Amino acid sequence: MSTLPPGTAPIKPEFLLSIQPREIPDDDAAEGSTSHVNGRPDAGAGGDGAEEGGKKLSGAQRKKLAKEERKNKRGANKGRRFQKVRDDVELCFRVASGKQCDFGEECRFTHDVAAYLAAKPRDIHFPSSEDITDVPPFVRLEMAEDGDPRKSSLDPTTTCPVFQRVGECKHGLKCRFLGSHVRAREDGELELVVDEEKKARVAAAETEVNFIDGDTLRKIRTKKYPHPIADAYLQEIKNANEADKVDAEEQPTEVPAASAPDAPPADTVNDSATTALDTTVDKSQDDTPDVPTRFVEKKRLNWTGKTYLAPLTTVGNLPFRRICVDYGADITCGEMGLAMSFLQGSKEEWSLVRRHPSESIFGMQIAGSKPQLLVPAAEIIRKECAGNLDFVDVNCGCPIDLVYKTGSGSALLDAAGRLGKIIVGMNKALGDIPVTVKLRTGVKDGRNTAHKLMPRLGPEWGTSAITLHGRTRQQRYTKLADWDYIKQCVEAVRAREAEEDLPPVPIFGGGDCFSSEDYWYKMDNYGVDGIMIGRGALIKPWIFTEIKERREWDISSRERLDIVRKYAEYGLNHFGSDTAGVNTTRRYLCEALSFQYRYIPIGLLERIPARINERAPAFKGRDELETLLASGDSRDWVKISEMFLGPAPESWSFTPKHKSNAYGGEESQG
C-alpha cells in the first residue's frame, strides 16, 4: 500500500499492472449534461440564443459562456452524435407485423418479404444466464444449421427477449431474433407466432406507461393544448407584479424603497407576492369544479428508509432503472427534462416520462428558469400521466454552465422568489401529485445557502420532499460531499417544522455513498430520512442489495456479465428488437459500461469497502472476464455488447464521453 500514490485504491500487489492511477472521467457529465436517451445531441440548453435569467445574451457574453464551457469540458469528447442504424432493405412496418399497408404501392418501404429476408443479416443469438462463463469467449453460442435459402437469415435456436417476456414481438419480421417467433405455413409462407395466453397474463406487469401520442404532441407543439390553471396562476403573478409597481410609485420620492428601514430584500418582496397569490387563487376558485388542490391534499410521501436512485442524464434511462429496481431500488426518477422542450412537444423529451410497472415509486424531473415554462408544463404532465406519476422533482442542482446561465438548475438557489413562484404554481397545476426539490448546498464555494432556503420549501411553498447534494455548483466533484452541512440543513428544517407544528417532510442527502457501510453510517449520523444514490449505482447497480442486506458483496465476474445481459434484454424491450433498436440498446449499454468498468472487485482490495474518490491503478482480475470488465478501452465495451447484440455494423461506432476511454487511450487495459 505504501508504494501507491496518495488517493489510489489499495489493490493487492499480485493484481497490479501499474501503480499509476487511471484517469477518471468528469462525473458531472452524468448528472448535468442535457443529452437525452433518444439521441438528442450532447448540447447545452442555451444554444445560440442562450439566455441568462430570461434575458438574451449579447455576442460577447455568448462567446465568454462558450469559453467557460470549453474549459469545463477539457478531456471530454464534445459534440457526440449517434445516428440510427437501419436495415439495408427496409421492410414496411405494417407488412412486417402481418398487416395490410394503407399506402399500398405508394409506400416508400418495400413489401417484398422474400427480398427483405434475403438481404437481412443472420438472426442474433441471445444467450441465457446459463450460457455465461468466465473463460473466453465468455458466452456459449449454439450454431444453427442453414435451412432453405429463402429463410437463410433465420436462426430457430435463438430467443427473442421481447417475445419471451410478453408473448408477442411488435417488430414482427423486422426483429433481429426472428427465428424465435416465426414458422412456415403449409404454403411455404412465413407466419408470425403470438402466445396469446402469455400476452394476456403479463400485459399489466410488462407494458410501459406514460406514452404520449402524436396528436397530443401536435396540440402541445401548436399551443392548442389547454392549461387553464397555469394561465390563471400566471395572470395572478402578472397582476401582483403590476400592483407592486403601483405601490412602489406611490412611495414618497424622498424615501427610496430600498433604503427604508423595514424594506425586505428583492427576493422577499417577490416571496410576499407569492404568498398573496396563493391565497387569492385559492379563495377565488373555492366554488369552482377545477379548484387547484391545496398543499394539505397532496399525497403524503412516506419515504423514510427507502432507497432512492438519483435522476441521471443519458445513463439513467428506463432499462438501467429496471436493473436498479431488480437489485433493490425503491424510488426511481426519470432523466432531467427541460420545461421548454416539453412545451415544444418534443417527442424525445416526452419519452423521458415513460415508466415500467416494476418501478413502484416513480417520478420525473424537470428543469426550467421561470413559472411561465414550468407551470404550464406541469399541468400538461398531470393530465397526460394521471395515475402513473408519483411525484415531480424540480431540478435546482444542475451545475452545467449552459443550464445555469439560462437561470435553470442551480441558478435557482440564488433566486428564492422565483423558485417560490415556480413551486407554488406547479403545486396548483399538478393537483394531488407532490412536488419535490433536488438542490445543492449553494452556488459558490464557501457560500452555502441551502440552510436558509430549505426551511422555506415546505412551510411556504408546499414542497413534499427535499434532496440535498452535499456540494456547491462550483465545487462539482473536486472535493468530498459536506455531510456535516447536510446535517445542519436537516436540523434547520426540523426546527421550523417543530416551531410551526408541521408534519416533517422527507429529507434525503446525497454524495459519495459507495457501500453499505457508507450508507448506514450516514443514515445513523446525519439525520436524513434516506440517501439518494447516483454515481454509486452507475458503477455498481447492486449497491441497493448491499444496502438492504447490510453487507459488501464480492460479486463474481459471471454475475456482473449477467447484469450486462439483463441490461441488453431490458434495452431490447424498451428500444425495440429491430436493427435500429438493437443498436440504440448497444449505444446505451456502452454508456453504462463506461461507468461499470470503474468498479474494483472487493477480493482485489487490501482494505474494504472501496471509496468512491479513490482512483484505481491498472490491474488484472481474478479471471479473464473480470479483467475484461475492468477495461477502460471503449473498443472492449463494444466487444462486450456483441456477446448479446451480435456484431456491431460497420457503419456504427461508439464515441465515449471521455477521451481517455477512446480507441488507443493510454488508460486502456486491453
Side-chain angles (χ1 to χ4, degrees):
M1 291 178 64
S2 59
T3 61
L4 295 173
T8 305
I11 293 178
K12 295 174 182 177
E14 60 265 36
F15 298 107
L16 282 173
L17 297 177
S18 167
I19 65 170
Q20 293 303 314
R22 300 184 300 193
E23 186 175 357
I24 294 296
D26 176 15
D27 284 313
D28 285 294
E31 294 192 71
S33 162
T34 54
S35 165
H36 282 318
V37 72
N38 284 288
R40 197 167 78 186
D42 280 5
D48 291 336
E51 298 182 1
E52 181 173 4
K55 297 179 180 179
K56 283 281 184 182
L57 298 179
S58 68
Q61 288 173 314
R62 284 201 301 273
K63 187 174 181 180
K64 180 182 177 183
L65 181 57
K67 184 177 180 180
E68 290 175 2
E69 189 72 4
R70 285 197 300 272
K71 181 179 177 182
N72 288 329
K73 283 195 170 186
R74 283 175 186 163
N77 279 316
K78 299 174 280 292
R80 300 190 306 157
R81 297 292 185 271
F82 296 93
Q83 299 297 326
K84 279 192 175 182
V85 179
R86 303 187 184 278
D87 294 319
D88 291 336
V89 176
E90 287 206 66
L91 183 66
C92 170
F93 186 82
R94 291 189 66 81
V95 171
S97 304
K99 300 173 183 175
Q100 283 290 117
C101 175
D102 296 335
F103 297 100
E105 294 182 358
E106 296 179 4
C107 181
R108 60 193 181 99
F109 302 109
T110 184
H111 289 185
D112 189 338
V113 174
Y116 169 75
L117 292 176
K120 188 183 180 189
R122 184 78 178 172
D123 279 351
I124 299 168
H125 187 88
F126 194 81
S128 66
S129 297
E130 291 72 28
D131 292 327
I132 295 174
T133 70
D134 55 14
V135 295
F138 307 120
V139 292
R140 288 188 292 266
L141 299 178
E142 296 182 28
M143 300 303 294
E145 296 181 3
D146 288 335
D148 184 331
R150 181 174 172 280
K151 297 178 287 183
S152 61
S153 65
L154 300 180
D155 176 1
T157 69
T158 192
T159 300
C160 171
V162 180
F163 178 79
Q164 184 181 40
R165 187 165 282 273
V166 301
E168 180 181 29
C169 179
K170 66 179 182 180
H171 289 282
L173 298 174
K174 293 169 71 72
C175 175
R176 290 301 313 281
F177 310 85
L178 178 58
S180 174
H181 51 80
V182 72
R183 63 187 172 208
R185 298 196 307 240
E186 291 183 1
D187 60 5
E189 293 296 319
L190 294 179
E191 180 180 51
L192 294 169
V193 176
V194 177
D195 185 338
E196 296 290 355
E197 187 274 330
K198 176 182 280 190
K199 183 180 173 183
R201 176 165 44 85
V202 305
E206 294 295 338
T207 303
E208 295 175 14
V209 296
N210 295 337
F211 277 88
I212 313 300
D213 61 59
D215 288 341
T216 300
L217 291 177
R218 199 156 32 249
K219 284 182 181 178
I220 297 171
R221 197 177 302 122
T222 56
K223 304 187 187 308
K224 294 180 180 177
Y225 194 108
H227 33 73
I229 295 174
D231 292 343
Y233 178 71
L234 295 175
Q235 185 61 47
E236 291 290 341
I237 287 181
K238 184 178 179 181
N239 293 343
N241 288 340
E242 290 174 353
D244 286 345
K245 288 180 182 177
V246 171
D247 290 343
E249 290 170 358
E250 293 177 354
Q251 292 280 341
T253 54
E254 66 274 11
V255 185
S259 62
D262 298 325
D267 267 346
T268 311
V269 173
N270 289 338
D271 294 341
S272 43
T274 301
T275 307
L277 283 171
D278 183 32
T279 307
T280 304
V281 174
D282 277 345
K283 285 183 177 179
S284 66
Q285 296 186 356
D286 272 347
D287 299 322
T288 64
D290 293 325
V291 57
T293 305
R294 298 171 190 274
F295 301 153
V296 294
E297 296 170 349
K298 292 282 180 182
K299 295 175 183 174
R300 295 285 300 166
L301 298 179
N302 300 311
W303 286 1
T304 301
K306 295 190 182 298
T307 52
Y308 191 166
L309 171 66
L312 299 159
T313 303
T314 303
V315 282
N317 50 48
L318 186 145
F320 177 76
R321 299 198 306 268
R322 290 186 65 181
I323 294 288
C324 292
V325 167
D326 287 347
Y327 285 94
D330 297 314
I331 306 167
T332 54
C333 187
E335 303 169 62
M336 180 185 77
L338 303 176
M340 175 65 82
S341 297
F342 281 114
L343 292 177
Q344 289 172 340
S346 164
K347 181 180 178 181
E348 290 77 14
E349 216 73 17
W350 280 98
S351 72
L352 301 179
V353 302
R354 289 186 198 164
R355 172 188 194 169
H356 189 268
S358 64
E359 298 180 89
S360 57
I361 303 174
F362 172 75
M364 57 88 65
Q365 188 184 67
I366 191 167
S369 61
K370 50 192 175 183
Q372 289 79 1
L373 296 176
L374 285 154
V375 180
E379 185 168 356
I380 299 172
I381 287 166
R382 173 181 65 84
K383 292 177 181 177
E384 294 303 319
C385 303
N388 292 316
L389 197 61
D390 298 307
F391 63 96
V392 173
D393 189 66
V394 180
N395 183 305
C396 297
C398 181
I400 298 301
D401 288 340
L402 287 174
V403 174
Y404 174 78
K405 294 294 185 179
T406 65
S408 305
S410 54
L412 290 173
L413 297 174
D414 285 343
R418 185 152 39 95
L419 177 60
K421 290 185 176 72
I422 287 168
I423 297 172
V424 168
M426 289 181 64
N427 264 310
K428 294 177 181 300
L430 285 168
D432 65 351
I433 300 174
V435 176
T436 67
V437 172
K438 181 174 185 282
L439 67 161
R440 289 189 177 229
T441 58
V443 174
K444 295 183 179 180
D445 277 349
R447 292 177 58 184
N448 288 333
T449 57
H451 65 286
K452 298 177 182 178
L453 182 61
M454 282 176 57
R456 306 180 65 187
L457 292 175
E460 296 181 32
W461 304 324
T463 301
S464 295
I466 305 167
T467 300
L468 177 62
H469 184 137
R471 292 181 171 89
T472 63
R473 173 197 178 251
Q474 188 179 37
Q475 180 184 343
R476 304 285 180 99
Y477 286 94
T478 56
K479 300 176 185 176
L480 292 176
D482 188 347
W483 276 86
D484 288 328
Y485 182 67
I486 290 176
K487 182 177 183 179
Q488 178 187 337
C489 293
V490 172
E491 290 171 347
V493 173
R494 298 300 180 227
R496 177 161 184 181
E497 289 171 342
E499 182 181 337
E500 299 183 18
D501 194 25
L502 298 171
V505 298
I507 303 176
F508 278 62
D512 305 331
C513 187
F514 196 50
S515 67
S516 174
E517 181 179 296
D518 278 347
Y519 184 93
W520 290 110
Y521 178 82
K522 290 175 170 68
M523 285 290 291
D524 292 340
N525 289 278
Y526 295 102
V528 293
D529 296 300
I531 297 170
M532 177 182 278
I533 301 177
R535 288 186 300 161
L538 290 173
I539 296 170
K540 43 186 263 190
W542 57 92
I543 189 173
F544 300 104
T545 298
E546 292 184 323
I547 290 166
K548 292 196 168 182
E549 298 182 2
R550 293 181 180 250
R551 67 182 177 104
E552 311 304 329
W553 182 2
D554 188 10
I555 189 171
S556 71
S557 59
R558 288 184 68 251
E559 290 171 315
R560 289 172 63 196
L561 189 59
D562 195 45
I563 293 175
V564 176
R565 185 199 67 81
K566 190 176 289 189
Y567 187 105
E569 177 187 342
Y570 292 164
L572 293 167
N573 273 272
H574 179 63
F575 297 116
S577 60
D578 61 342
T579 296
V582 166
N583 289 294
T584 301
T585 299
R586 192 190 309 277
R587 182 252 163 130
Y588 291 107
L589 176 55
C590 288
E591 299 278 14
L593 291 172
S594 75
F595 284 91
Q596 292 180 26
Y597 89 92
R598 290 159 57 179
Y599 171 70
I600 306 172
I602 285 177
L604 276 58
L605 293 170
E606 292 186 329
R607 167 191 42 77
I608 60 172
R611 295 170 185 163
I612 199 166
N613 60 315
E614 291 179 331
R615 296 168 65 185
F619 65 88
K620 64 180 180 180
R622 291 166 289 189
D623 53 56
E624 291 184 71
L625 178 56
E626 197 163 69
T627 301
L628 176 64
L629 291 172
S631 172
D633 187 337
S634 59
R635 289 173 294 186
D636 285 328
W637 308 338
V638 176
K639 177 181 175 182
I640 292 169
S641 80
E642 291 179 333
M643 298 177 190
F644 307 99
L645 301 172
E650 291 183 7
S651 61
W652 189 89
S653 63
F654 177 74
T655 306
K657 273 184 178 279
H658 204 262
K659 291 177 182 177
S660 66
N661 301 125
Y663 298 169
E666 294 177 359
E667 309 303 325
S668 303
Q669 290 193 29

